[in-house]
Amino acid sequence: MIKHIVLLEIADHIKTNEIEKMVNKLIELKNTSIPQIKKISYGKSCSIEGLERGFNYAFVMEFESVSERDIYINHAAHKKVSEDYILPLLKNGINSVIVFDF
């Protein structure tokens, strides 16, 4: 099982409904376009440690294999959601994203 972890630094002025729309688009990928996504979870940081360094939201996707993860990464629908629904919400564009897969 491969876990694809994405940390996001959502800009302070972004409204909750815009974040919900982003999350819904990610779930839609799983349910319609990219069946290789086996599971998706997401949420806003609730840590009391204060170590987020500005990264305030995250999502985790699970895939059966690296090759299935790669299908997701290269899929046109993933690229569209990233460009249209994720990047516009970020404080510093692509510099407000951390991705870690294992």
Side-chain angles (χ1 to χ4, degrees):
M1 188 66 64
I2 299 297
K3 293 188 188 297
H4 176 69
I5 301 168
V6 180
L7 303 178
L8 303 171
E9 184 181 21
I10 303 288
D12 295 334
H13 69 276
I14 300 298
K15 295 181 176 27
T16 302
N17 67 324
E18 294 174 271
I19 296 167
E20 289 170 357
K21 188 172 188 176
M22 173 194 68
V23 169
N24 288 336
K25 290 294 181 179
L26 289 167
I27 293 169
E28 207 173 279
L29 288 177
K30 177 186 181 301
N31 294 335
T32 62
S33 306
I34 311 175
Q36 290 80 9
I37 301 169
K38 301 304 178 201
K39 184 177 178 185
I40 183 169
S41 56
Y42 56 89
K44 183 176 182 176
S45 177
C46 63
S47 175
I48 61 170
E49 296 175 293
L51 299 174
E52 297 95 334
R53 297 191 176 115
F55 291 88
N56 46 10
Y57 282 85
F59 63 89
V60 179
M61 291 182 174
E62 294 183 16
F63 301 89
E64 289 292 328
S65 65
V66 169
S67 61
E68 289 200 357
R69 187 269 328 263
D70 292 351
I71 290 169
Y72 160 76
I73 294 296
N74 295 307
H75 199 287
H78 163 248
K79 292 177 182 180
K80 180 160 181 52
V81 168
S82 295
E83 292 170 8
D84 295 350
Y85 297 96
I86 298 175
L87 286 173
L89 305 185
L90 301 179
K91 186 174 183 178
N92 297 304
I94 196 68
N95 292 320
S96 290
V97 179
I98 293 176
V99 175
F100 189 91
D101 296 350
F102 69 93

